[in-house]
Amino acid sequence: MLKKNKIKDTSLKTLPGSLKYVGKLVDHSINIKVIEFNADIYEEKVIKQDFAKIEIDTQDNKKTWLNVDGIHQPNAIQEIGNIFNLHPLLLEDVLNTNQKPKLEYYGEDILYFTMKSIEYNPYTKVLETEHVSIILGPDFLLTFQEEGTEDIFADIMVRLKSGVGKIRKLDLDYLLFSAVDLIIDNYLEVIQKIDEDLENLEDNIINSPKERDQNLLYSHKREINIMRKLTFPIREMLNSMLLYNENDLVKDNTKLYLRDAHDHAVQVVEMLDSNREMIANLMDLYLSQVSNKMNSVIKVLTIISVIFMPLTFIVGVYGMNFDYMPELRMKYGYYYIWGIMVVSTIGMLIYFKHKKWL
């Protein structure tokens, strides 16, 4: 079941370009990390309040990555937008956590990419989403994360700091690819965890179906439908970047890597479709198992009823209050009746066994 936060969307009541945070309430401050790097240099500093310290140093071919953890302070986002000359409509989308995944070009020097990061809680069986915005400029990359409590790009920062791979040698569009690919790969990990849950559910349904299993199936079905809504736009966005790139921010050599990310997005969609089919099959299996279990119970009750029918008849006959019933005066009549009932019961059990009803 997807973790839902009660968010009142007031963005429809404001003018276009008005900066208003739409999301759940948080009580921590915004944390900004500024990373400047090239093939030989890596510099990192953390800024929490004084945003005037944010500067873009282009000397020595340095590239700047500014990662913002927390978007719940519109004034801070406005200041960052002023520093990097960002369009108000772009900043409005950054602050709106209800914004669906999309790709937009703002002129020839700004590319805006927004999507949802997903985490799966294996204990509560709940999907938790986080609004993520990525802005690529000519000499800077900005990433905005909704929560601000856990940095989803921590792995990329470790690679960047250590200088492993090509991440420090290539342009910022490759860093954009790395961020997008990390989120998509996380989708694959979430789907694998859901697959494991579905396999366990299949075993439970086969062995002993319970109502809780049905509830979990409906929950997973809802989660998968939501993931499909989040993944389909990403696939189309990447396809658009590969075929109809409207500016030169994404280089041809990076498009090769974006094609790989697009393949991963297609794989996510295919796996989600496969999971939807699997859930439908498990629902049919659950209903079939419950029906078979009920049929087994009814069969047992029917056999018991059939066994007791002649016994009830015999008891009913000799329970009548007539004065002249010869068997009532027999010395061993009580034992005869018991013998008849026992033989009748054993005979029916043998017959049922022979017919393979037992």
Side-chain angles (χ1 to χ4, degrees):
M1 173 179 166
L2 181 68
K3 181 180 179 182
K4 296 181 179 179
N5 300 306
K6 293 184 178 180
I7 299 173
K8 185 177 181 181
D9 190 350
T10 58
S11 59
L12 297 178
K13 301 179 182 179
T14 58
L15 295 175
S18 300
L19 299 190
K20 187 175 183 62
Y21 170 65
V22 180
K24 63 181 180 179
L25 298 177
V26 292
D27 57 359
H28 53 77
S29 60
I30 291 181
N31 184 44
I32 299 177
K33 185 175 291 186
V34 180
I35 299 174
E36 295 176 337
F37 65 95
N38 57 26
D40 304 315
I41 300 172
Y42 177 90
E43 298 175 356
E44 177 184 317
K45 58 183 176 181
V46 176
I47 300 174
K48 293 189 176 182
Q49 295 295 335
D50 190 1
F51 302 111
K53 294 181 179 179
I54 299 176
E55 297 178 354
I56 302 177
D57 184 3
T58 57
Q59 295 180 356
D60 301 324
N61 294 323
K62 285 185 181 178
K63 296 176 278 287
T64 301
W65 176 20
L66 188 141
N67 182 56
V68 182
D69 287 337
I71 57 173
H72 52 281
Q73 297 178 6
N75 292 336
I77 303 302
Q78 178 68 75
E79 287 190 47
I80 295 173
N82 293 337
I83 293 172
F84 293 94
N85 195 26
L86 301 178
H87 198 282
L89 290 176
L90 186 155
L91 297 178
E92 183 182 10
D93 289 338
V94 170
L95 291 169
N96 186 3
T97 61
N98 293 333
Q99 176 64 55
K100 295 181 180 179
K102 70 175 183 178
L103 168 69
E104 286 189 345
Y105 296 92
Y106 286 84
E108 298 181 355
D109 57 352
I110 295 294
L111 183 151
Y112 174 62
F113 201 106
T114 181
M115 58 198 303
K116 303 292 183 183
S117 173
I118 295 180
E119 292 291 338
Y120 182 71
N121 191 322
Y123 303 103
T124 60
K125 311 297 182 184
V126 169
L127 285 180
E128 301 173 354
T129 64
E130 180 177 357
H131 181 63
V132 177
S133 298
I134 306 174
I135 302 171
L136 177 63
D139 48 13
F140 63 86
L141 181 78
L142 309 180
T143 53
F144 296 86
Q145 304 176 48
E146 173 189 355
E147 295 287 345
T149 54
E150 183 177 353
D151 196 338
I152 61 176
F153 300 124
D155 291 342
I156 297 178
M157 292 180 182
V158 171
R159 280 188 285 149
L160 196 62
K161 185 174 183 178
S162 62
V164 175
K166 305 176 181 178
I167 194 165
R168 275 169 55 173
K169 300 176 183 177
L170 299 180
D171 292 329
L172 286 169
D173 54 346
Y174 182 81
L175 187 58
L176 166 72
F177 152 75
S178 300
V180 173
D181 189 58
L182 178 68
I183 294 176
I184 295 175
D185 287 346
N186 196 48
Y187 279 33
L188 293 172
E189 293 181 7
V190 170
I191 294 175
Q192 290 175 356
K193 293 176 182 177
I194 293 178
D195 282 341
E196 294 175 1
D197 283 347
L198 291 178
E199 291 175 0
N200 294 331
L201 274 175
E202 184 177 18
D203 294 336
N204 294 339
I205 291 173
I206 292 175
N207 297 326
S208 179
K210 298 178 181 178
E211 186 177 355
R212 179 178 178 273
D213 298 331
Q214 186 183 33
N215 294 336
L216 286 174
L217 284 175
Y218 280 121
S219 175
H220 285 313
K221 180 180 179 180
R222 182 166 55 250
E223 293 164 352
I224 287 173
N225 286 336
I226 292 174
M227 287 187 67
R228 290 180 82 252
K229 291 179 181 179
L230 298 178
T231 307
F232 264 91
I234 295 175
R235 184 183 65 175
E236 299 306 318
M237 288 151 53
L238 291 172
N239 188 58
S240 175
M241 291 178 68
L242 291 170
L243 299 178
Y244 311 108
N245 193 18
E246 297 184 11
N247 56 38
D248 297 329
L249 292 176
V250 180
K251 308 298 189 299
D252 289 338
N253 60 338
T254 303
K255 288 184 178 180
L256 296 175
Y257 298 102
L258 287 173
R259 188 177 296 121
D260 181 67
H262 177 266
D263 291 341
H264 289 177
V266 172
Q267 184 182 356
V268 169
V269 173
E270 292 175 349
M271 292 177 68
L272 290 173
D273 289 338
S274 176
N275 281 344
R276 290 182 70 194
E277 184 177 352
M278 183 177 182
I279 288 177
N281 293 334
L282 288 178
M283 288 298 300
D284 293 338
L285 176 62
Y286 173 83
L287 296 175
S288 176
Q289 289 293 95
V290 170
S291 178
N292 291 338
K293 188 176 181 179
M294 184 178 296
N295 290 339
S296 299
V297 173
I298 293 175
K299 182 176 73 173
V300 172
L301 295 177
T302 302
I303 291 174
I304 293 174
S305 300
V306 171
I307 290 174
F308 275 90
M309 282 176 61
L311 306 184
T312 304
F313 173 76
I314 295 172
V315 172
V317 169
Y318 289 101
M320 295 186 293
N321 297 322
F322 290 112
D323 290 334
Y324 300 101
M325 294 184 69
E327 291 85 356
L328 294 177
R329 306 299 178 183
M330 294 175 62
K331 182 177 181 180
Y332 300 104
Y334 174 77
Y335 301 104
Y336 292 154
I337 293 300
W338 264 110
I340 292 172
M341 291 192 293
V342 170
V343 170
S344 173
T345 300
I346 294 174
M348 282 189 289
L349 290 173
I350 293 174
Y351 179 75
F352 293 153
K353 190 73 174 177
H354 177 70
K355 288 291 187 179
K356 296 183 179 179
W357 294 345
L358 288 176

